[in-house]
Amino acid sequence: MTEVHDAQPPVGSIVGPDQLAELYRPPSRLVAEKKGATLDEATVGFLAASPFALIGTVGVDGSVDVSPRGGLPGFIRALDDRHVAIPDLNGNNLIDTLRAIVATGRAGLLVTVPGKDETVRINGPAWVTTDAATLDLWDGELRRPTTAIVVRTDEVFMHCAKAFRRGRVWDPASWDELADAPDGLDVLSAQGLVAANDAATRDYLERAYASDLDADRPED
């Protein structure tokens, strides 16, 4: 792997916007004009169907992070035509995403619907809230979240299907072909973070997942 130094970019690196622009044709008018700032009816419907999204953040030190978020379809709530909210559910308590949002106040979302190759992207100012009215939005569906992330839709747009089709993301045949790929326990074992990669450890990991997911359920 090539080592990257701040002072001297590696050979072949693009060093300016003009040099980059020379390598690509201009985007079509549709692509250039597709970014909006409000949530239309179809986009709200897409959010209501989505059970999974990725949220990207940047820390005050410039470090970047992308974290998955999942829930029942519609767990991402449209608050109005300019804001969405995502509940913070039971996790590992590293809270890297929350720390970054508190530090820099920005976030980007990639929202997916299984079987749909297009995705919805949302970028804008973000904050972490304990506002009771916002946290009430998931009553009856999830345990009451400790906090929620709110993102203002300074940019909201549909992202085309090509990446998902290239990757055959929703193609069950590709899942079978990749069945032998390393899983989470394989990676943890290779990194020396677990003592053994065996059936007992795998069972422990699955029970931990089940316990954490059970904690997402509404309180009696």
Side-chain angles (χ1 to χ4, degrees):
M1 180 180 295
T2 301
E3 187 176 356
V4 177
H5 299 280
D6 291 339
Q8 183 64 47
V11 174
S13 296
I14 303 298
V15 296
D18 292 339
Q19 184 183 1
L20 183 63
E22 291 174 358
L23 300 175
Y24 294 91
R25 60 173 171 76
S28 68
R29 178 180 176 184
L30 173 63
V31 171
E33 297 179 356
K34 71 179 180 178
K35 293 182 180 180
T38 58
L39 295 166
D40 58 80
E41 182 179 356
T43 302
V44 171
F46 193 96
L47 295 176
S50 173
F52 182 80
L54 298 169
I55 181 166
T57 55
V58 58
V60 70
D61 61 351
S63 60
V64 295
D65 184 69
V66 177
S67 178
R69 291 290 188 274
L72 296 173
F75 78 103
I76 302 174
R77 296 287 203 262
L79 303 181
D80 53 37
D81 66 355
R82 287 297 309 276
H83 300 86
V84 299
I86 307 118
D88 185 56
L89 302 179
N90 192 49
N92 57 23
N93 287 342
L94 281 176
I95 60 173
D96 290 334
T97 298
L98 302 183
R99 293 182 194 277
I101 290 174
V102 168
T104 64
R106 304 289 301 182
L109 294 174
L110 179 82
V111 184
T112 71
V113 172
K116 302 289 187 183
D117 289 332
E118 291 86 7
T119 56
V120 164
R121 291 175 57 181
I122 296 172
N123 302 315
W127 52 94
V128 178
T129 184
T130 58
D131 172 63
T134 302
L135 301 184
D136 286 345
L137 294 173
W138 297 277
D139 282 357
E141 294 183 24
L142 302 168
R143 70 163 175 85
R144 187 176 182 81
T146 302
T147 62
I149 297 167
V150 178
V151 183
R152 190 178 78 195
T153 62
D154 279 14
E155 291 184 340
V156 55
F157 56 100
M158 182 275 294
H159 195 106
C160 77
K162 293 191 290 290
F164 271 62
R165 292 186 181 178
R166 288 177 182 129
R168 301 169 65 197
V169 175
W170 306 123
D171 179 0
S174 74
W175 307 345
D176 292 337
E177 294 167 9
L178 300 173
D180 293 332
D183 64 9
L185 183 56
D186 294 327
V187 174
L188 291 172
S189 177
Q191 295 173 344
L193 297 174
V194 293
N197 186 352
D198 55 20
T201 308
R202 194 171 299 277
D203 180 65
Y204 171 81
L205 185 62
E206 288 297 326
R207 285 186 282 110
Y209 286 152
S211 177
D212 285 349
L213 291 171
D214 187 60
D216 290 337
R217 296 175 181 172
E219 297 178 357
D220 296 330

